[in-house]
Amino acid sequence: MKEAYVNIEKASNGLATIEFFHPKHNSLPSDILAKLAKTITEAGKDDTVKVIVLKSGGERTFCAGASFDELISIEDFPTGKEFFMGFARVINACRKCPKIIIGRVQGKAVGGGVGVASAVDYCLATKFSSIKLSELNIGIGPFVVGPAVERKVGVSAMSQMTINADEFYSADWAKNKGLFAEVHDSAEELDAAVQKLADYLLSKNPEAQAALKKVFWEGCEDWDSLLESRAEQSGRMVLSTYTKEILARYA
């Protein structure tokens, strides 16, 4: 079984590809979240990087969200807050990055994985990329990723996913709601479309793209404090008796 990683590959034409992987369905423990946020931030500051592709390893699940192993181990509020701050930092790294970030979603996205897909600037997927906000099933909610998801799909669709936390919503549903810009029949077609868009952006003015990105994210300037307060909310809730009893079933 492969070990977890976050890698970045930089091509001479200015394309940087950031890939994360975890053997448990690309779940996101604290160390992977920290590396992912750091890698995105550094790529944004690198003058040789003009466009970023964010993807996960493997062929099936894009991202299973929070690491259950780590959620189970949380025993105090500071630890809980810090865990959820990992998702806040990834979302804010994407928001603040001056480069356009293309998301490549090859399979299912759950919980925090939907948040990651929502934080990129243009997201492409396969027809296998159904999505689910499953947090209510363990007694919490998508508090940290909620602003990013709501920004993409709207309050109504975000509320629908949050309330019906058992339901997977299809890739076409996600496209109709605005999360995915394109849905393709296979990973091969997805990769071709990602490359085509990346090549197009690489041929355009990077200053214009950086300015447009600021426009796209207008109104989100308070997210450093907002997402921290949401992480505090999740950090308290994960310690509740209800959630502890649910998580104990996965131990």
Short mmCIF file of all heavy atoms in Angstrom, two decimals, residues 8 30 44 51 101 103 114 132-133 137 159 185 188 226 250:
data_model
loop_
_atom_site.label_atom_id
_atom_site.label_comp_id
_atom_site.label_asym_id
_atom_site.label_seq_id
_atom_site.Cartn_x
_atom_site.Cartn_y
_atom_site.Cartn_z
N ILE A 8 4.35 18.03 -5.82
CA ILE A 8 4.16 19.07 -6.82
C ILE A 8 5.14 18.84 -7.96
O ILE A 8 6.31 18.55 -7.73
CB ILE A 8 4.32 20.49 -6.24
CG1 ILE A 8 4.04 21.55 -7.32
CG2 ILE A 8 5.68 20.68 -5.58
CD1 ILE A 8 3.92 22.96 -6.78
N SER A 30 -4.23 15.57 9.47
CA SER A 30 -3.65 16.90 9.69
C SER A 30 -2.36 17.13 8.91
O SER A 30 -2.15 18.22 8.37
CB SER A 30 -3.37 17.11 11.18
OG SER A 30 -4.55 17.20 11.92
N GLY A 44 1.73 29.55 -5.28
CA GLY A 44 1.18 30.87 -5.58
C GLY A 44 2.23 31.96 -5.57
O GLY A 44 2.12 32.96 -6.29
N VAL A 51 -0.09 28.56 -13.76
CA VAL A 51 -1.38 27.89 -13.60
C VAL A 51 -1.16 26.65 -12.73
O VAL A 51 -0.12 26.00 -12.83
CB VAL A 51 -1.99 27.48 -14.96
CG1 VAL A 51 -3.29 26.70 -14.77
CG2 VAL A 51 -2.23 28.70 -15.84
N ILE A 101 -6.53 28.03 -10.16
CA ILE A 101 -6.39 26.62 -9.77
C ILE A 101 -7.48 25.81 -10.47
O ILE A 101 -8.67 26.07 -10.29
CB ILE A 101 -6.50 26.44 -8.25
CG1 ILE A 101 -5.44 27.28 -7.53
CG2 ILE A 101 -6.35 24.95 -7.88
CD1 ILE A 101 -5.55 27.22 -6.00
N GLY A 103 -9.31 22.27 -10.79
CA GLY A 103 -9.52 21.04 -10.03
C GLY A 103 -9.79 19.87 -10.94
O GLY A 103 -10.57 19.98 -11.89
N VAL A 114 -15.54 17.68 -0.74
CA VAL A 114 -16.41 18.62 -1.46
C VAL A 114 -15.91 20.04 -1.23
O VAL A 114 -15.95 20.89 -2.13
CB VAL A 114 -17.87 18.47 -1.00
CG1 VAL A 114 -18.78 19.42 -1.78
CG2 VAL A 114 -18.35 17.04 -1.19
N LYS A 132 -21.06 14.16 -1.54
CA LYS A 132 -21.89 14.01 -0.35
C LYS A 132 -21.30 14.82 0.79
O LYS A 132 -20.09 14.79 1.02
CB LYS A 132 -21.99 12.53 0.05
CG LYS A 132 -22.78 12.28 1.34
CD LYS A 132 -23.17 10.83 1.51
CE LYS A 132 -22.01 9.95 1.88
NZ LYS A 132 -22.46 8.60 2.32
N LEU A 133 -22.15 15.56 1.50
CA LEU A 133 -21.76 16.21 2.75
C LEU A 133 -22.29 15.34 3.88
O LEU A 133 -23.45 15.44 4.27
CB LEU A 133 -22.32 17.64 2.82
CG LEU A 133 -21.72 18.65 1.84
CD1 LEU A 133 -22.39 20.00 2.00
CD2 LEU A 133 -20.21 18.79 2.04
N ASN A 137 -24.03 12.88 9.82
CA ASN A 137 -24.09 11.47 10.22
C ASN A 137 -23.24 11.16 11.44
O ASN A 137 -23.47 10.16 12.12
CB ASN A 137 -23.65 10.57 9.06
CG ASN A 137 -24.72 10.45 7.98
OD1 ASN A 137 -25.90 10.55 8.27
ND2 ASN A 137 -24.30 10.26 6.74
N SER A 159 -27.64 23.44 1.63
CA SER A 159 -28.53 23.00 2.70
C SER A 159 -29.10 21.61 2.40
O SER A 159 -29.23 20.76 3.28
CB SER A 159 -29.67 23.99 2.88
OG SER A 159 -29.19 25.27 3.21
N ASP A 185 -16.84 11.51 -19.47
CA ASP A 185 -17.20 10.11 -19.36
C ASP A 185 -16.10 9.23 -18.79
O ASP A 185 -16.38 8.13 -18.30
CB ASP A 185 -17.61 9.55 -20.74
CG ASP A 185 -18.96 10.06 -21.19
OD1 ASP A 185 -19.77 10.46 -20.33
OD2 ASP A 185 -19.22 10.08 -22.41
N GLU A 188 -9.62 9.49 -18.85
CA GLU A 188 -8.80 9.90 -20.00
C GLU A 188 -9.35 11.18 -20.62
O GLU A 188 -8.59 12.10 -20.95
CB GLU A 188 -8.75 8.78 -21.03
CG GLU A 188 -7.99 7.53 -20.60
CD GLU A 188 -8.76 6.66 -19.62
OE1 GLU A 188 -10.00 6.84 -19.51
OE2 GLU A 188 -8.12 5.83 -18.95
N LEU A 226 -13.64 33.96 9.74
CA LEU A 226 -14.86 33.16 9.62
C LEU A 226 -14.56 31.67 9.74
O LEU A 226 -15.21 30.94 10.51
CB LEU A 226 -15.57 33.45 8.29
CG LEU A 226 -16.76 32.55 7.96
CD1 LEU A 226 -17.87 32.73 8.99
CD2 LEU A 226 -17.27 32.81 6.54
N TYR A 250 -16.39 3.31 14.90
CA TYR A 250 -15.40 3.17 13.84
C TYR A 250 -14.00 2.85 14.38
O TYR A 250 -13.06 2.67 13.61
CB TYR A 250 -15.33 4.46 13.02
CG TYR A 250 -16.61 4.79 12.28
CD1 TYR A 250 -17.59 5.57 12.87
CD2 TYR A 250 -16.85 4.30 10.98
CE1 TYR A 250 -18.78 5.87 12.20
CE2 TYR A 250 -18.01 4.59 10.32
CZ TYR A 250 -18.98 5.37 10.94
OH TYR A 250 -20.14 5.67 10.27
#
